[in-house]
Amino acid sequence: MPFDVAVFRIVNGLAGKNPFLDALGVAAASGLVFILGVLVIVPFLLRRKNGLVFAVKSFLAAAVGWAASEFIGFVFFRPRPFVVLAGVAKLIDRGAWERSFPSGHATIVFAVAVSLFLYARELRNASFRALSYIGLALAAGVALSRVFVGVHYPLDVLGGAFLGTLAAATVFVIGRAVTPNKHETRSM
């Protein structure tokens, strides 16, 4: 059994056994994306102008990552685990025709979380740095939950995490080249 399938079996094997854990997994697989979106709003509310620039960069990173994941998924189509494996605990509704690799959810949440991390690093602000760590933890939670609920293999979410990170870094580097660094460096 390939490593990717073996790890999928371990993680997804925990699903369907405990109603609380199942509800937590479904909420993380679906709802944490919106909570991460709220984290984008916090810098905007606290640092109006620079926060708006960050929000736009985060949106661009998510859009670039999503577009890249759609293209890669079209070129290198991989069926979802519940389509090809027997005994998968599928906790959320996804279509059998949809691609598995790379995970679009993981791509988007890592694009946003890494954007927040890079913004916090640029500001040298402890509060935003803590917020960015929360964002990265939530992104990891989304990625793991997508495997738990039976709609992605581990390499799908790792590929999405890589793609989202790459999109955020690319937008960050291009943004720095296009706009001078006018961020405040004082702590909140």
Side-chain angles (χ1 to χ4, degrees):
M1 175 180 326
F3 178 75
D4 197 29
V5 174
V7 174
F8 171 82
R9 291 284 191 198
I10 292 168
V11 175
N12 182 251
L14 300 171
K17 295 184 174 28
N18 180 310
F20 175 76
L21 189 58
D22 290 352
L24 185 63
V26 169
S30 306
L32 283 184
V33 173
F34 300 107
I35 293 171
L36 200 55
V38 170
L39 292 180
V40 172
I41 295 170
V42 171
F44 170 70
L45 294 175
L46 297 177
R47 297 189 180 265
R48 298 286 178 180
K49 184 179 176 189
N50 292 334
L52 179 60
V53 171
F54 158 72
V56 169
K57 286 180 181 179
S58 293
F59 175 77
L60 285 174
V64 166
W66 175 80
S69 75
E70 289 296 310
F71 176 75
I72 291 168
F74 178 75
V75 173
F76 302 103
F77 182 83
R78 181 183 193 188
R80 292 193 181 263
F82 64 82
V83 174
V84 295
L85 300 175
V88 171
K90 180 182 162 200
L91 301 182
I92 62 174
D93 189 33
R94 300 305 304 175
W97 63 90
E98 294 177 303
R99 65 169 170 78
S100 188
F101 179 83
S103 167
H105 278 77
T107 301
I108 291 169
V109 296
F110 272 93
V112 172
V114 171
S115 292
L116 181 58
F117 176 81
L118 293 172
Y119 181 65
R121 188 169 156 246
E122 185 174 88
L123 287 179
R124 295 184 183 105
N125 181 296
S127 298
F128 282 128
R129 189 175 306 119
L131 191 62
S132 75
Y133 294 145
I134 292 169
L136 290 169
L138 290 173
V142 169
L144 180 63
S145 69
R146 301 296 290 176
V147 177
F148 176 79
V149 300
V151 296
H152 285 291
Y153 294 99
L155 288 180
D156 299 341
V157 296
L158 287 174
F162 175 77
L163 196 55
T165 300
L166 182 63
T170 301
V171 168
F172 181 81
V173 168
I174 291 171
R176 276 190 118 182
V178 172
T179 58
N181 185 4
K182 296 180 182 176
H183 294 294
E184 299 169 15
T185 55
R186 63 180 173 80
S187 294
M188 287 178 55

